């Protein structure tokens, strides 16, 4: 498996806080069958700022540590970028990273609502030949209240990624049911872990895939 959303890099955000924890996360990921993982630390969310250079250096250091310990996991570069008015400027300044140097870019919405400027931003990203991927839309208040709003984002050119913990019920039955509903409506393109640690918010991707198959 490839995990496209994780917080495995140590000390950059609310994910892993120490290198030893990152190594433990990598060991658990390999046990689950994950062989490649995109590190997506929070960026520009009002609390954390992790521009491209910071992420690239941290990915290089972690990959060297994993190689030294013989852990067969490849960590790739990315960011979880909060949508904000300066996003296009940051792209022009090379401060942003798409997922593993592709044209896919992981975007995080505010948890309460969808910003009014988002349709224009999605359009401009597509003009740049970027493909926006909306992280955990099931945890956005507007979408939870009206899933057709996610359909609108997809019609404007976005893709969507739900998290394994939402599917598995960690965030409550309401969000879990919403995940199933979004999947049945073909509004989900990726399932990723959004792993933050090796315990409460680890990976559990296999469990999520099995549950979705049964449903």
């Amino acid at each position: 498996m490839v995990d496209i959303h994780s917080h495995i890099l140590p000390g950059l955000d609310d994910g892993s806080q120490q290198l030893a924890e990152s190594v433990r996360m990598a060991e658990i990921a390999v046990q689950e069958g994950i062989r490649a993982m995109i590190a997506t630390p929070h960026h520009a969310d009002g609390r954390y700022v992790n521009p491209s250079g910071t992420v690239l250096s941290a990915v290089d250091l972690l990959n060297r540590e994993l190689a030294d310990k013989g852990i067969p996991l490849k960590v790739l570069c990315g960011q979880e970028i909060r949508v904000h008015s300066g996003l296009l400027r940051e792209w022009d300044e090379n401060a942003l990273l798409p997922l593993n140097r592709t044209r896919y870019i992981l975007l995080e919405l505010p948890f309460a609502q969808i910003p009014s400027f988002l349709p224009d931003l999605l359009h401009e990203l597509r003009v740049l030949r970027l493909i926006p991927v909306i992280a955990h839309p099931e945890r956005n208040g507007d979408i939870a209240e009206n899933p057709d709003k996610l359909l609108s984002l997809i019609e404007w050119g976005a893709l969507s990624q739900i998290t394994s913990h939402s599917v598995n019920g960690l965030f409550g039955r309401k969000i879990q049911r919403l995940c199933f509903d979004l999947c049945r409506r073909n509004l989900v393109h990726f399932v990723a872990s959004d792993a933050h640690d090796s315990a409460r918010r680890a990976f559990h991707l296999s469990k999520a895939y099995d549950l979705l198959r049964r449903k």
Side-chain angles (χ1 to χ4, degrees), residues 88-174:
L88 295 174
R89 173 185 52 79
E90 285 202 308
W91 176 259
D92 289 338
E93 295 171 350
N94 296 315
L96 303 184
L97 290 169
L99 297 175
N100 188 29
R101 305 181 189 276
T102 65
R103 306 305 296 179
Y104 296 83
I105 185 168
L106 187 67
L107 302 181
E108 181 184 39
L109 302 178
F111 286 101
Q113 59 190 13
I114 297 173
S116 60
F117 62 84
L118 186 57
D120 289 337
L121 176 61
L122 295 179
H123 171 75
E124 293 299 326
L125 291 173
R126 294 312 303 265
V127 169
L128 293 170
R129 297 180 62 198
L130 294 171
I131 304 171
V133 179
I134 305 298
H136 44 66
E138 74 277 8
R139 294 168 61 191
N140 174 270
D142 278 350
I143 291 172
E145 183 177 336
N146 182 5
D148 283 340
K149 292 189 176 182
L150 179 58
L151 174 60
S152 295
L153 298 183
I154 292 170
E155 289 175 339
W156 291 330
L159 302 178
S160 79
Q161 171 258 303
I162 61 174
T163 63
S164 59
H165 299 297
S166 296
V167 172
N168 294 333
L170 180 65
F171 300 121
R173 293 294 299 276
K174 184 177 180 179

